[in-house]
Each structure stands twice: as C-alpha cells, then as structure tokens.
C-alpha cells in the first residue's frame, strides 16, 4: 500500500504521493525552492488512515517548485442575439508545478 495524502492549496484539494508532479494555483516561490504544505486533510500510511478535523496534526508534505508557468489560452466569447453585440477575450491562468519529495506524519 502506497503512502498518500490529500492536501489543500489554492482552494482546491489534491491527492499526492511521493514522486508525483502537480499543478496548483500560482504560489510566490522561485524555481528550485522547497515548499512545505501543512494543510493535510487525510493521510494514508501502512499503519492506517488518519482523517483530519479539519487537518491532520503534525503531517506535512515537502515539495519542490519545478516551474512557474501559464496554462493554454482559452477564448471567452460573449454574444447577445439580435443586438449586434460580440466580445472576444482570451485568458491564460498562471500555475506553479510542484514535485512531491516526501510525505511525513
């Protein structure tokens, strides 16, 4: 059984294991820096599953910042029928890519 954790960052929840890459909302860290995530909602180890109330006490996920980048562009198109109103807008969301180094309880 692999050790995994469910963490929360940027208002979203992610299931992570050691060695996985995740893309989270943009964080103010430089490439190569270490980041410790302490909002662990659930921790599953060989000993069993710990569910936090709301977080697991003493649990943390150690990650490294791999990249600061932007997602693909999406097109936002608005139109009102019979009013000759059209509006086109593009959007690219910033993200931070993390490499999960280890999970500790």
């Amino acid at each position: 059984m692999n050790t995994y954790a469910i963490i929360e960052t940027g208002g979203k929840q992610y299931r992570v294991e050691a060695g996985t890459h995740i893309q989270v909302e943009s964080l103010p860290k430089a490439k190569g820096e270490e980041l410790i995530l302490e909002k662990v909602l659930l921790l599953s180890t060989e000993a069993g599953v710990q569910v936090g109330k709301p977080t697991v006490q003493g649990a943390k996920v150690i990650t490294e910042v791999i990249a600061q980048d932007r997602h693909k562009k999406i097109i936002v198109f608005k139109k009102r029928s019979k009013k000759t109103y059209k509006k086109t807008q593009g959007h690219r969301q910033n993200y931070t890519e993390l490499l999960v180094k280890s999970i500790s309880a």
Side-chain angles (χ1 to χ4, degrees):
M1 180 174 167
N2 291 340
T3 299
Y4 70 90
I6 296 180
I7 59 167
E8 181 182 345
T9 179
K12 298 178 177 78
Q13 296 177 5
Y14 302 91
R15 182 186 188 273
V16 297
E17 294 180 25
T20 59
H21 290 259
I22 57 171
Q23 292 179 352
V24 299
E25 294 291 318
S26 186
L27 297 169
K29 292 285 184 178
K31 183 178 175 180
E33 283 189 52
E34 191 173 88
L35 178 67
I36 298 174
L37 302 170
E38 295 180 344
K39 260 192 155 176
V40 178
L41 305 176
L42 182 136
L43 182 66
S44 174
T45 60
E46 300 292 331
V49 177
Q50 293 177 316
V51 179
K53 297 177 185 174
T55 59
V56 178
Q57 296 297 319
K60 59 186 173 183
V61 176
I62 300 169
T63 62
E64 180 185 346
V65 177
I66 298 298
Q68 294 281 2
D69 209 355
R70 300 177 83 183
H71 285 289
K72 287 179 142 181
K73 182 180 275 191
I74 62 165
I75 303 298
V76 180
F77 181 73
K78 297 180 180 182
K79 180 181 190 301
R80 305 250 194 255
S81 62
K82 302 181 212 120
K83 303 293 184 206
T84 65
Y85 170 79
K86 289 188 229 175
K87 181 179 180 183
T88 304
Q89 185 176 10
H91 176 74
R92 290 184 72 184
Q93 186 72 27
N94 295 329
Y95 71 88
T96 301
E97 186 171 349
L98 300 174
L99 168 66
V100 179
K101 287 181 163 181
S102 65
I103 299 171
S104 61

